[in-house]
Amino acid sequence: MVSERYRDFTTYNTMIYAKAQLFYEQLRYVVGDESMRRILRAYYARWRLKHVDESAFRDVAEQVSGMDLQWLFGQWLHGTPLIDYRLKRVQRRLMADGRWLTAVTIERKGGGWMPVEIGDGDTIYARATGQPEIERVEFITARKPGRLMLDPRVRTHD
């Protein structure tokens, strides 16, 4: 929306600068650090000193990352969906070879979605897509995982 249409400067500032920063953080979380660096470099190289729009940035981001990012741009730039998850169930089983099989069930409680990391502290064991209302993710580890949590690095805006 054009800047004059915002009701006050605080709202304008929040929507233009703060939300943009959050969006870039979420894009980086989805595509990964290295891909994000390549996206920003390619975007600058292609569009420096030119007027651009959302489509120009999304095209570069999709080309560089090799991912369809329409869902992310749609949620963050054209809506305000609630992104909310809960760890519904954790099952651990010691396998015959001494490794641990862990199955995690995640419940999506909001209308929006993001990929969700599963870990204990600094160790990330798996990443759920976050799309289905109920999603089960399994992973195998050499040691028994500690107390599991969703988004242990606090990178999504759940």
Side-chain angles (χ1 to χ4, degrees):
M1 161 162 88
V2 238
S3 59
E4 302 88 41
R5 296 190 61 207
Y6 286 90
R7 73 172 173 225
D8 55 45
F9 181 73
T10 304
T11 304
Y12 169 79
N13 195 45
T14 301
M15 295 309 293
I16 298 304
Y17 295 103
K19 188 172 181 180
Q21 177 188 355
L22 292 175
F23 173 72
Y24 273 85
E25 288 174 14
Q26 294 307 278
L27 176 60
R28 180 176 157 212
Y29 173 73
V30 169
V31 302
D33 294 340
E34 182 55 37
S35 189
M36 186 66 178
R37 279 190 281 279
R38 290 192 333 263
I39 288 167
L40 293 174
R41 287 186 180 121
Y43 181 67
Y44 178 77
R46 188 175 302 165
W47 294 103
R48 67 177 162 254
L49 304 175
K50 296 177 184 164
H51 291 283
V52 292
D53 58 12
E54 172 191 336
S55 178
F57 184 63
R58 193 177 81 227
D59 288 347
V60 171
E62 289 180 337
Q63 288 169 4
V64 171
S65 70
M67 301 170 76
D68 177 359
L69 298 169
Q70 187 171 353
W71 65 270
L72 180 68
F73 280 73
Q75 284 186 147
W76 276 87
L77 302 180
H78 302 287
T80 55
L82 176 64
I83 298 170
D84 190 19
Y85 294 92
R86 117 180 145 96
L87 194 58
K88 188 170 181 166
R89 185 172 186 191
V90 175
Q91 297 169 290
R92 295 180 179 95
R93 183 172 58 87
L94 182 60
M95 300 189 314
D97 64 3
R99 296 182 304 161
W100 287 87
L101 172 64
T102 303
V104 177
T105 304
I106 299 166
E107 179 182 8
R108 180 172 53 83
K109 296 168 59 179
W113 62 273
M114 288 288 291
V116 183
E117 293 178 335
I118 303 158
D120 63 359
D122 290 334
T123 303
I124 304 301
Y125 295 109
R127 190 178 222 192
T129 67
Q131 292 177 330
E133 285 187 34
I134 301 291
E135 184 171 4
R136 182 181 162 99
V137 177
E138 293 183 352
F139 56 91
I140 296 173
T141 54
R143 64 174 177 79
K144 183 178 181 179
R147 184 175 181 268
L148 294 177
M149 63 178 78
L150 299 178
D151 192 23
R153 299 185 295 171
V154 193
R155 294 198 53 204
T156 64
H157 295 280
D158 179 351

